[in-house]
Amino acid sequence: MVVKLVLDATAELFEVGGASLTSEKLAIDRHWRNARTIASHNPVNFKLRAIGGYELNDEALPYAWSVGVRAARQYGS
């Protein structure tokens, strides 16, 4: 749901602000590009599968979602 909300919000922002929002001085277009990159590189169905496997079967989350050293699960068990 968050991916859809972010993409919708950024699209509306550019509809309201027009081409001036793409100026290098404001750099607002970076937020839209970041949202599109995250949405396309991490498909929602992949996220749902990974989170379901984590919660239901105690499967490790993809390494790309880790920060620093991977720790053992710290809650729920």
Side-chain angles (χ1 to χ4, degrees):
M1 187 65 182
V2 172
V3 171
K4 181 180 178 352
L5 291 173
V6 169
L7 295 177
D8 289 349
T10 54
E12 284 189 42
L13 178 65
F14 280 100
E15 282 184 33
V16 171
S20 64
L21 289 179
T22 62
S23 77
E24 286 184 30
K25 182 180 178 185
L26 296 175
I28 294 175
D29 63 309
R30 292 180 57 208
H31 300 292
W32 180 82
R33 285 196 317 267
N34 290 342
R36 295 292 306 163
T37 299
I38 290 168
S40 64
H41 288 215
N42 298 303
V44 172
N45 59 347
F46 175 73
K47 292 177 185 178
L48 294 175
R49 176 16 195 123
I51 292 169
Y54 177 78
E55 290 295 329
L56 298 173
N57 302 319
D58 209 29
E59 296 173 7
L61 289 173
Y63 181 74
W65 295 359
S66 299
V67 176
V69 177
R70 242 181 225 228
R73 187 174 184 155
Q74 302 201 3
Y75 67 91
S77 42

